[in-house]
Structures are given as structure tokens and as C-alpha cells.
Amino acid sequence: MSVAGIAALLLLLATMLVLVLANVAVPNCTSRCGNISIPYPFGITAGCHREGFKLACNETYHPPKLFMDSSGVEVLEISSPNSTLYIDSGILTLAGDESDDGHIRMNWLVPLDDTLYRVAAGKNEIIVLGCGINMIVQWPDPGKWPYPGDESTPTSNCISECMAGAGHPVIATNGTCPGIGCCSIDMHSESNRFPIKYTIDKENLPPVNASLALVESKWWSKMKNIMMLQKAASSDTSLGASKGVLHPIPGVPIRTAIRWMFSNLSCDAASNSSDFGCLSDRSKCLEYPISDDSTGGYTCQCWHGYHGNPYVQHGCQGYTTVVGIGSCVGTLLIILSILIIRRKLLVWKARKSREFFFKKNRGLLLQRLVDKDIAERMLFSLQELEKATNKFDEARKLGGGGHGTVYRGILSDKHVVAIKKSKVVIQRETDDFINEVAILSQVNHRNVVKLFGCCLETEVPLLVYEFISNGTLSDHLHAGTPLSMPWKDRLRIAIETSRCLAYLHSAASVSIVHRDVKSANVLLDDRVTAKVSDFGASRGIPIDQTGVTTAVQGTFGHLDPEYYHTRRLTEKSDVYSFGVMLVELLTRKKPCVDLSTPGASLIAEFILRVNQDKICEMLDQQVIEEGTEEAKQVAAVALMCLSLKGEDRPTMRQVETKLEVIQTVERNTPVEQTNANADDDNFSRRYSMEEECMSSMSFPR
């Protein structure tokens, strides 16, 4: 299963788990406000809540906030299993008139209906913020409110002292409440109203603005919450101007735990009424005592081993279901985590690999490129080329040569290109690719395939060329059909190829020997214009040298025999290979195909027929019908190119000139025809048939 599939299943199971564990609302009623779940008996709209439990969702906040509809107190969380409501109770500034006994008196009031809601004893603390204060809180019996002023009521007190010396803050801000600048009192009675009296130490410091907060003990136990409230109280200038007022501090929700009752009836009375709240099966009724001798109401709770909302039908679900779903979610979380980690690891490894090869290949390239800016403009990312070729899909393969496999690609700008990828990951292939970029970055000729750029993020660089749509010359010559391309096109292609090779040999800044001239490396565009390609084996020769000694590279049947035996590479090596290509153009036969004489090669057979003046026996029938005389002259040029010794071969510039003359004669220009006849004498053969045949047959096959 994919990561996306597991994530979807995980979301489904998590949703089921939430539905089981969450406080359940009445069907078709709003169940959430922002991040807060709204369980029944609470609700927002009519028919969705019990009387006294109406809430309001203010969506002008982001995220939306939930409030008690009657008092405007902000609700932070609602728990059905614990019958607990968590609110933002705000902060109370100390105020009041000093009495004869020196105490200042005031009442604490949480603005909630105390028949349904009461501050939970044992879950909250009263916090005094300020110093030089002696705070006393009285705990009246909730059943005897209003308090009659009986001084015998139980009390609790805390003293918040000031630090010695001037300049110290009157409110502690260090995240602790040790009795200096801050003190606390545990709640001992469940009520919403408490009489408070306090004294201020006027001898040691002038009267100070102090404040009280009612906070949940768990919330107050976290240092970050203590510090947040202390700093907010010490920096809030509005506290001193609003004495005796209970108000929230913006951005600091002061969390207070409130116990709520479903009804003020006893369980026995409620169970016999039509308004009984414990609707879920596997739920029970709990009395809610407010004093030793009275009952204040009841709440509902799921049986032991069950969880959910007991106030709605089927709200209590077994832990077996919950644990089962939780286990599935946990297992899927582990699987998802492993898949994510694995994917990230693969992405990381791929990125590191690309960075390594990019650095390696770019360094080699920049040593050979004339201008570093050229490399920057020609760089493609691996991701871009994978997208262009559908990750090098076999259906995109155009073909392969000795130096790589070529794929058709479509770039993001809809430009169609040919992308060459090495077949074998060896250093020689890498060097060939780098060599090809270095060569083509210096070449600008209409008959040379254009190199757009390269990708250096793989072990062997990828090359991006212009896309040539009409295949190779070899494809057209050896298509297996009776007719091939017309003779005039063959001659023109020969001239264009010779023109390109002549440019490489003499017009470029460094003499470039292609070293693998053959019909398969001559591409044809939609106008059948020749484009010489595959410069992986090419070699530059300084202009002050006639050749270089190097390892033999090329294609069998096209290799210069002198280069093969001596390993001396010169421009004349390309001339020999071009002569082989001319023979292909004339005969439509492949150089390595054996003919009638056992063991004989195409070149040996060609030399034999020319010297016997029987060249017509080898010519393609289409050539005979369309241009026999011109073909004989081209055969004479080919014969000179195929001379055993390189020094006896013409240069590519001479070959280009001769072929252009033949083409002009073909167009019936009288003056040029005369010049062409005169030039024919210069192409007489100086080698016997036997020597040429023997040289060709001794060449390895």
C-alpha cells in the first residue's frame, strides 16, 4: 500500500477513534467550535442543548472561540466523562474599604449559575499576585449561602512577602510561587462565591496594586504557565485602573476547573422522571453532594471499562473497541513512519548522490570548456530530464550507438529534445560524454547536431540535443524496401557531411577528428538535411601537430586500416571512414556484409569492381537509373579516400570541392562540366587492384 493509501486509512481509523472517545453531540447538531468539542447536554442551537447549557461560538476569532451564552465566560474545554467544564476565569484586582480591624473585605464571584456549575474543590487554587499582602479566604457552606457573617467559618490564608531592599518587583516573575511576590491557597469548598479579606503591610512599602486568580492546579503546576500569568499581571497597566473587576488577560487563558450537574434532582428522583439524563446503556447515575447532609444534583458516568458520553444513546463504548481501533491506528502510524523515514532517506541519498556526481563531472567539464559561463547555461537537472522522458521509459527510446542510448524527451517548455544516456557505467564512457560536451561547446555548424546542454547529476553525464525527426542515413539506406532516397539527395547529403568534416578539420579553433564517421551517425531532419552526431570518440589535435597516438576507437568496417595498425590518428582517418560511407551511398550495402566471394568485405569488393571498370555491377539499381555517370565520379572520389596510406588520401576540403563539382555537373552547367573532366585526371588510381584488395582483406573482420 502506498504512503497516501495508508495515510487515508489512518485518517479513517483515527476518525473512528475520535468518534468513540470524543464527547458525542446530539445528531445533526454542531459538535465543534474551533478546536473544542461540544458534547450534549451542551449545544449551540435550539434543540441541541439542555436548558442552562447553551453556548455561543464566535467565529470572528481565528480559530473560533466558545463562550457560555448567559455570562460570556470563555469555555476552554468540556469533558463529559468527568462532568467538568474548563473556563477562562480571568483575573480579579483587589479592592474594598478598610474596616476598623484593619482588613479590606470583598467577595469573590464566578459568574455562573451555581445550581448547575460550581468551582471544583480539590482541582483549583487561588493565587495572590503581589507582595506585602496577607490574604484570608473563608469557606462557607454552599447550602447556607448567602454568608451571614459568621466568623467561625473555616478559613485559609497565604502571605506574600516582599523581597528586602528597593528596586525589586512586587510581583514574582520567575515561574515559582514561594511566598515572595506570590502565594497560593488550595480550594476547600465547592462554590462560586467566597468572602475575602486581606491586609497590606503599609509599614514596609506603600499600598500596591495586587490581584487574584483562580487556576486549575494541573495548569498551575507547569512553570511556563506560572511565568506567563506572572508576567502578564506585572505588565498589565489596566489592572490598577479597574479595581474590584474580574476580567480576562488578552492572550493568557487562565484555566479553571468547574464541576457541572445535569440536574439538581437526586438519582432516585431523576430515574423515575421522563427527564432522566443517563440515556446511554452501560451508564450509571452519580449523586453530587454539596454538603454532608444535602444533595445538590446528579451526573452520569459510563460503566467501568467503557468510555464516551453517557448523556446520549449508545454514547458509552467498550475499551475493547477503543483499544482495537487504537492498536490499528498505532500499527499504521508505525508503518507510515517507517515509509516516511524510508522515503526521506531515499530522497536524501539521491540528493547526496546528485551532489557528488555534479561536483565530480562539473570539475572535469570545466577543465575542457572554453568558458565557465557556457557550462552554467547548459546545465539540466536530473529531475527535469526524468520528467521529460517519463523516467527514461523504453517507449521513449529512439535508438542506441556505441556511446549511449538516445531517448525522446519533452521539456517543460514543450521543446522536443533527444537525450543520450550511457549504456555502461565505466570511466571511458564518462570521459566520452565529457569529451562530447567539450567538443560540441566549441562547434557551431549547420550540419552538426546542436547540443543544448547536459546533466551532471548522474554517474555518467546525460546529453541533451536538438531532436532530429527523420532518423539516420543508415535507416534510409537499409530500410529493406526496393527504393531508397533519390540519388540527388544522397549526393547532397554526402556534400553536407564532407562540408561538416572539412570544417571540423580546418575551420575550428582546434582540429577535431570525429573518429566514428558512418551513416548511422548522420542524422536527417525533416528537410533531409544532414546533421553529424555522436562526438563521444572525437579527438582534438593541436594545429601545430599532424596527428596523435592514441587507443583505437571507432566502428568495425569503417576504421582506417593505417590508424588501426599504427594507432596514429590523423584527419585522414576521417577521410577513410567517409569513403566507406560513400560506398554505402552508392551500393546500399553495409560495410560488414560478406558478398559473393567468401571472406571478402564490401570495400575489397568495391575496389575490385572499380579497377575492373565493373562498378555498375555493384551500384544500387536506383542510382543506375538516376545518375550513373555522376555515381562513377563519386566512386572515383571514394576510391581515393580508401587509399591504404593516409598521405595518399585527399583532405576533406578537397573531397568537398570535388563532390560540389560533381553536383554542379549533374545540373548541366557546361563550363563547370569542362573543369570537372579536367579534374578527373587527378583522381587516377596509383594502387593496383591486388594491393587494395589485400589491404582490405587483411583488415580484421
Side-chain angles (χ1 to χ4, degrees):
M1 183 180 291
S2 66
V3 173
I6 292 178
L9 183 57
L10 181 62
L11 179 61
L12 176 61
L13 289 174
T15 302
M16 293 173 61
L17 183 61
V18 168
L19 289 176
V20 170
L21 297 179
N23 301 317
V24 182
V26 172
N28 302 320
C29 291
T30 302
S31 60
R32 297 192 70 81
C33 176
N35 300 324
I36 304 173
S37 176
I38 305 174
Y40 185 81
F42 294 91
I44 294 176
T45 57
C48 294
H49 61 85
R50 182 176 175 80
E51 185 176 354
F53 292 85
K54 185 177 181 181
L55 305 175
C57 185
N58 190 333
E59 296 185 355
T60 60
Y61 293 95
H62 300 284
K65 289 186 176 183
L66 189 63
F67 297 89
M68 297 295 295
D69 186 63
S70 58
S71 62
V73 173
E74 183 180 356
V75 177
L76 304 177
E77 183 184 346
I78 305 171
S79 172
S80 290
N82 299 325
S83 301
T84 306
L85 181 75
Y86 298 91
I87 65 169
D88 179 1
S89 62
I91 192 166
L92 178 70
T93 55
L94 295 181
D97 297 324
E98 186 174 341
S99 62
D100 294 338
D101 61 0
H103 289 95
I104 302 173
R105 300 177 184 273
M106 60 185 299
N107 289 324
W108 175 283
L109 174 63
V110 176
L112 294 174
D113 180 0
D114 61 3
T115 64
L116 295 176
Y117 306 96
R118 295 192 183 100
V119 176
K123 290 188 176 183
N124 296 287
E125 298 177 39
I126 292 179
I127 308 301
V128 178
L129 299 173
C131 72
I133 301 170
N134 183 358
M135 177 67 62
I136 301 173
V137 180
Q138 293 179 295
W139 309 112
D141 187 340
K144 297 179 180 179
W145 189 267
Y147 174 60
D150 183 1
E151 293 294 336
S152 65
T153 302
T155 61
S156 298
N157 78 303
C158 73
I159 300 174
S160 177
E161 298 179 346
C162 296
M163 295 185 67
H168 295 289
V170 296
I171 296 179
T173 57
N174 60 358
T176 63
C177 194
I180 300 177
C182 175
C183 66
S184 63
I185 303 172
D186 292 334
M187 291 288 295
H188 292 292
S189 177
E190 293 206 342
S191 178
N192 296 345
R193 291 172 285 188
F194 305 98
I196 296 172
K197 62 181 181 180
Y198 63 94
T199 60
I200 297 177
D201 184 1
K202 297 180 181 179
E203 295 181 1
N204 296 325
L205 84 167
V208 297
N209 295 324
S211 54
L212 273 71
L214 179 61
V215 299
E216 181 196 15
S217 298
K218 286 185 178 180
W219 184 87
W220 185 247
S221 65
K222 298 178 181 178
M223 180 177 288
K224 65 175 183 178
N225 293 333
I226 299 175
M227 188 176 296
M228 178 176 61
L229 178 54
Q230 289 175 337
K231 289 184 176 180
S234 64
S235 61
D236 193 343
T237 57
S238 66
L239 294 179
S242 56
K243 291 185 178 181
V245 176
L246 183 68
H247 69 88
I249 299 179
V252 184
I254 302 173
R255 185 180 174 98
T256 304
I258 306 294
R259 287 287 302 270
W260 54 270
M261 296 173 291
F262 185 82
S263 168
N264 57 11
L265 297 175
S266 66
C267 285
D268 289 339
S271 62
N272 295 320
S273 71
S274 60
D275 190 35
F276 188 49
C278 305
L279 296 181
S280 176
D281 47 1
R282 304 181 181 88
S283 66
K284 59 185 177 181
C285 181
L286 298 177
E287 300 285 355
Y288 189 92
I290 61 172
S291 66
D292 294 338
D293 56 357
S294 66
T295 301
Y298 76 92
T299 61
C300 300
Q301 193 176 77
C302 292
W303 290 356
H304 179 70
Y306 293 84
H307 199 86
N309 187 351
Y311 300 100
V312 297
Q313 294 285 349
H314 311 298
C316 295
Q317 297 292 329
Y319 277 118
T320 302
T321 303
V322 175
V323 171
I325 295 176
S327 298
C328 291
V329 172
T331 302
L332 287 176
L333 275 174
I334 294 173
I335 295 173
L336 183 62
S337 300
I338 293 173
L339 290 176
I340 291 174
I341 293 172
R342 180 176 178 272
R343 174 171 289 185
K344 287 187 176 182
L345 183 61
L346 290 175
V347 170
W348 178 82
K349 290 177 65 176
R351 178 173 59 83
K352 286 297 182 181
S353 177
R354 290 196 301 269
E355 290 175 355
F356 171 78
F357 291 125
F358 180 87
K359 183 176 181 180
K360 171 188 173 184
N361 294 329
R362 188 170 186 266
L364 292 172
L365 278 171
L366 291 180
Q367 293 176 7
R368 293 169 169 82
L369 292 175
V370 176
D371 189 346
K372 293 182 179 180
D373 292 336
I374 295 177
E376 297 296 334
R377 292 195 302 268
M378 296 172 66
L379 293 177
F380 288 83
S381 69
L382 177 60
Q383 182 180 12
E384 184 177 5
L385 298 189
E386 285 182 337
K387 183 178 179 181
T389 59
N390 193 23
K391 294 187 177 180
F392 299 98
D393 190 348
E394 285 294 309
R396 297 287 187 92
K397 185 186 290 188
L398 296 174
H403 303 282
T405 303
V406 182
Y407 296 85
R408 181 176 181 269
I410 303 176
L411 300 179
S412 55
D413 60 1
K414 306 302 180 184
H415 201 91
V416 181
V417 294
I419 300 171
K420 184 159 75 172
K421 182 180 182 182
S422 175
K423 289 181 178 178
V424 183
V425 183
I426 56 176
Q427 187 60 42
R428 174 178 165 181
E429 292 289 346
T430 302
D431 294 342
D432 288 345
F433 270 59
I434 293 172
N435 181 65
E436 187 158 5
V437 175
I439 292 291
L440 291 179
S441 67
Q442 304 173 63
V443 172
N444 184 18
H445 193 275
R446 69 184 300 267
N447 296 117
V448 175
V449 66
K450 184 177 181 181
L451 178 69
F452 289 144
C454 59
C455 172
L456 306 177
E457 296 178 354
T458 55
E459 188 166 359
V460 176
L462 304 171
L463 302 183
V464 184
Y465 301 94
E466 64 175 319
F467 178 69
I468 307 300
S469 59
N470 212 2
T472 68
L473 175 59
S474 178
D475 295 336
H476 287 267
L477 291 177
H478 309 299
T481 57
L483 295 179
S484 180
M485 60 175 54
W487 164 248
K488 64 178 182 179
D489 285 342
R490 300 190 206 185
L491 180 57
R492 176 181 51 76
I493 291 169
I495 294 173
E496 291 171 347
T497 305
S498 66
R499 187 177 296 141
C500 170
L501 294 175
Y503 163 80
L504 294 174
H505 291 176
S506 58
S509 58
V510 175
S511 181
I512 299 170
V513 180
H514 187 282
R515 206 158 43 159
D516 198 14
V517 177
K518 58 183 179 181
S519 60
N521 284 340
V522 177
L523 305 180
L524 303 176
D525 64 14
D526 52 359
R527 296 184 179 181
V528 201
T529 300
K531 300 277 187 176
V532 178
S533 68
D534 203 343
F535 286 76
S538 301
R539 180 68 184 267
I541 299 178
I543 56 176
D544 59 345
Q545 297 181 23
T546 58
V548 292
T549 300
T550 181
V552 176
Q553 276 190 260
T555 303
F556 172 71
H558 299 263
L559 272 174
D560 169 18
E562 184 178 58
Y563 166 47
Y564 179 83
H565 290 295
T566 66
R567 302 197 175 191
R568 180 74 175 169
L569 178 68
T570 68
E571 298 167 0
K572 298 298 183 70
S573 300
D574 279 352
V575 175
Y576 182 90
S577 299
F578 180 77
V580 176
M581 197 184 84
L582 287 179
V583 175
E584 270 192 271
L585 285 168
L586 291 166
T587 64
R588 280 191 71 190
K589 292 182 173 63
K590 295 182 179 181
C592 299
V593 175
D594 292 339
L595 299 181
S596 56
T597 305
S601 69
L602 174 66
I603 302 308
E605 185 76 10
F606 174 80
I607 294 171
L608 178 64
R609 294 289 185 248
V610 170
N611 283 317
Q612 292 176 343
D613 198 20
K614 296 179 180 179
I615 186 58
C616 289
E617 294 180 4
M618 288 194 67
L619 294 179
D620 177 22
Q621 185 61 35
Q622 188 176 352
V623 172
I624 294 174
E625 294 173 359
E626 296 177 5
T628 304
E629 294 304 317
E630 293 79 11
K632 289 181 179 180
Q633 296 179 56
V634 172
V637 175
L639 200 61
M640 292 225 31
C641 292
L642 297 170
S643 295
L644 180 62
K645 295 182 180 179
E647 62 186 23
D648 294 331
R649 301 168 195 159
T651 65
M652 283 309 306
R653 184 65 68 193
Q654 291 172 326
V655 172
E656 175 194 359
T657 302
K658 179 59 181 175
L659 292 177
E660 287 176 343
V661 170
I662 295 173
Q663 184 185 54
T664 303
V665 171
E666 183 183 15
R667 293 172 180 170
N668 298 319
T669 305
V671 174
E672 293 178 350
Q673 175 70 51
T674 303
N675 293 336
N677 291 336
D679 289 339
D680 283 342
D681 294 337
N682 296 327
F683 285 86
S684 60
R685 290 291 295 142
R686 291 192 292 268
Y687 296 96
S688 66
M689 174 189 68
E690 291 81 3
E691 182 181 7
E692 291 293 350
C693 289
M694 290 302 296
S695 69
S696 180
M697 293 181 66
S698 64
F699 188 74
R701 290 190 288 277

